[in-house]
Amino acid sequence: AVDTGFIWALIAGFLGLTVYTGLLSTICFTFGGLILAVSVIEAAYTMAYRDELTGLPARRSLNEFFLK
């Protein structure tokens, strides 16, 4: 997720530097930063709630399920 987010943020940065000027350039850089933030949050969620080996829900998600 982080690698894909980095590529999309790189594309947004490239567009902000070469294609657009002014406000559109700022918007491109903002979207690039948001893309990176969302991809890091998604990766952190996956590490916390999914087992890397099996892909099954981890202990933390089991605890949340039983608290409901």
Side-chain angles (χ1 to χ4, degrees):
V2 176
D3 294 336
T4 306
F6 180 72
I7 290 171
W8 283 107
L10 196 63
I11 291 170
F14 175 76
L15 290 175
L17 284 175
T18 59
V19 177
Y20 300 118
T21 59
L23 182 63
L24 288 176
S25 176
T26 305
I27 292 172
C28 282
F29 285 120
T30 303
F31 279 136
L34 287 174
I35 289 169
L36 284 178
V38 168
S39 65
V40 167
I41 290 170
E42 182 182 353
Y45 174 82
T46 303
M47 286 191 305
Y49 288 94
R50 291 282 176 192
D51 182 24
E52 293 178 0
L53 184 61
T54 62
L56 296 173
R59 182 185 60 83
R60 185 171 294 189
S61 62
L62 180 68
N63 289 342
E64 283 190 5
F65 177 75
F66 284 132
L67 288 176
K68 290 182 182 180

